[in-house]
Amino acid sequence: MGRRKIEIAMVKDPNTRQVTFSKRRTGLFKKANELSVLCGAEVAIVVFSPGNKPYSFGHPGVDVVADKFLQQHEPKPNDDDVKGSNPSNKVGKLNLKLANLMAQIGEGEKKAGEYDETLKQHDVTQLNVDELKELQGSCLGLKRRVKEYLTEIEVAECMLLLAKKPVEGITNQVAKRRRRNV
C-alpha cells in the first residue's frame, strides 16, 4: 500500500495526535539535520508537544544558534556597556523587548477597536469599490503586522525559556547516535 494524502487538520484523538506528533517531530528533526549537513546551515528548532513537553534540535547546537539569533537583534553595545555581559542581563533585555512588543500589540488592539467603532458609525455599504479595496488592503496589512509581532513574541518567549533552562531533549539522542556511528 502506498502513501496516502491526508487532510491537514487538527487530529481529534489524543493518542493518535501524540503518535502523529512523535513521527512528524522525528521527520522534522531529520530534515533540519539534512539541511544543516547539505548546506552548512546553522539550524535550531524548539517544539512543544501536545502535552507541553519541549523538544529541541540544533546544529551546531540550540544554544549557539539562539545566541547568534539574539545577538543579531540586540542593539550594538555602547562603550559604557560591560564586555561579556552575563546571561541575566540578556534575559532582562529580552524581557524588556517582550514588554515593548506586548505594549505595541495592546496599542494595535486599541486602535483596531477604535477602527471597529468608526466602521460601525459609518455605513460601509456607501463606499465605492476603490475605497473598499483600500480598506481591505489596510486590514490585510494590519493582520500581517499583528502576525509578525506574534511571531516575534513567540520566538522571544522560546529564547527566554532556553536562556533560563536549556532543553536537552533530542540533542542528547543525536549525540548518542553519533557516538554509536563512530
Side-chain angles (χ1 to χ4, degrees):
M1 183 171 205
R3 293 184 182 202
R4 290 178 281 157
K5 187 168 187 160
I6 62 166
E7 178 184 345
I8 302 298
M10 178 77 157
V11 178
K12 300 211 182 334
D13 180 42
N15 293 332
T16 307
R17 185 182 314 139
Q18 183 61 41
V19 170
T20 301
F21 172 80
S22 297
K23 288 180 179 180
R24 288 187 175 252
R25 181 194 72 221
T26 304
L28 178 66
F29 289 164
K30 283 181 182 178
K31 290 292 183 183
N33 185 44
E34 290 173 9
L35 180 67
S36 67
V37 170
L38 292 173
C39 303
E42 294 180 4
V43 179
I45 299 175
V46 178
V47 181
F48 288 88
S49 71
N52 210 23
K53 184 176 178 185
Y55 295 90
S56 65
F57 171 82
H59 184 80
V62 175
D63 296 341
V64 175
V65 177
D67 285 341
K68 188 172 183 178
F69 176 80
L70 292 173
Q71 287 174 358
Q72 284 181 343
H73 294 337
E74 285 183 1
K76 299 295 179 195
N78 297 333
D79 293 335
D80 300 337
D81 290 345
V82 178
K83 291 185 179 179
S85 61
N86 60 12
S88 62
N89 189 20
K90 289 182 181 180
V91 171
K93 287 180 181 179
L94 283 173
N95 281 331
L96 182 62
K97 185 175 180 179
L98 180 61
N100 288 337
L101 287 172
M102 293 297 283
Q104 288 177 359
I105 287 176
E107 291 171 9
E109 288 174 345
K110 184 178 177 182
K111 285 183 181 179
E114 292 171 2
Y115 291 147
D116 286 342
E117 288 300 317
T118 304
L119 284 175
K120 287 178 185 176
Q121 292 173 357
H122 296 84
D123 188 10
V124 180
T125 58
Q126 294 178 357
L127 297 176
N128 65 30
V129 174
D130 292 333
E131 291 172 329
L132 286 173
K133 286 183 180 180
E134 183 180 340
L135 181 62
Q136 181 185 24
S138 298
C139 289
L140 291 175
L142 178 63
K143 182 178 178 182
R144 181 183 43 78
R145 286 196 305 272
V146 168
K147 281 184 179 181
E148 289 172 359
Y149 285 140
L150 288 175
T151 302
E152 287 182 22
I153 288 172
E154 289 173 353
V155 168
E157 286 176 343
C158 288
M159 294 303 144
L160 279 171
L161 288 172
L162 287 173
K164 289 181 181 176
K165 181 181 174 192
V167 179
E168 295 181 14
I170 195 73
T171 308
N172 288 341
Q173 293 174 1
V174 171
K176 287 179 187 175
R177 285 189 197 133
R178 286 183 186 153
R179 281 188 231 133
R180 282 188 223 145
N181 292 339
V182 175

